[in-house]
Amino acid sequence: QLQASGGGLVQAGGSLRLSCAASGHTFIRHVMAWIRQAPGKEREFVGAMTSSGGTTYYADSVKGRFTISRDNAKNTVYLQMNSLKPEDTAVYVCAAANRLVILTTPHTYKYWGQETQVTVSS
């Protein structure tokens, strides 16, 4: 129901934009989040946006570099990643939760999409 795309290999300092398209279910009323997992590490909350788009929250590690946006008409959420660093290398996944507030704990999200790999070379 959630399909992420846009990952790839990029040099440090570069940019990528991830997309997460929903199908079969509308996520207009859901908080949409991006979560990542690097090899050998636990899942890490990256950022999220409320259903209205009025509130966003980012992990300190990406604040100022990553931006989340959403197009409810297209049932799609985006993650613009700028100034990428090697430590951003991970599989990224979008997730959704039917609630009004943003929570940063990954396991609180009910809907999960497929992963997309982001690799940042130094």
Side-chain angles (χ1 to χ4, degrees):
Q1 291 182 326
L2 293 172
Q3 179 67 52
S5 61
L9 173 64
V10 65
Q11 288 188 333
S15 299
L16 282 174
R17 189 176 84 151
L18 306 183
S19 300
C20 177
S23 61
H25 183 81
T26 180
F27 292 93
I28 292 177
R29 294 184 179 86
H30 292 62
V31 168
M32 300 297 296
W34 286 95
I35 292 162
R36 67 186 181 185
Q37 187 168 21
K41 296 187 177 181
E42 294 185 352
R43 284 177 172 173
E44 177 189 16
F45 173 87
V46 174
M49 175 176 277
T50 55
S51 58
S52 66
T55 301
T56 54
Y57 186 85
Y58 299 94
D60 288 343
S61 58
V62 306
K63 200 173 295 182
R65 300 188 297 120
F66 290 12
T67 303
I68 293 175
S69 60
R70 65 190 295 168
D71 185 337
N72 284 339
K74 295 182 178 179
N75 225 8
T76 300
V77 64
Y78 304 96
L79 179 66
Q80 177 66 43
M81 304 184 294
N82 298 328
S83 302
L84 282 161
K85 304 175 181 180
E87 51 263 43
D88 294 318
T89 295
V91 291
Y92 285 71
V93 62
C94 59
N98 188 0
R99 57 173 175 250
L100 298 177
V101 298
I102 294 172
L103 297 180
T104 62
T105 307
H107 76 256
T108 63
Y109 289 82
K110 179 178 180 180
Y111 303 95
W112 290 77
Q114 293 184 337
E115 302 170 340
T116 186
Q117 175 71 45
V118 171
T119 303
V120 184
S121 62
S122 57

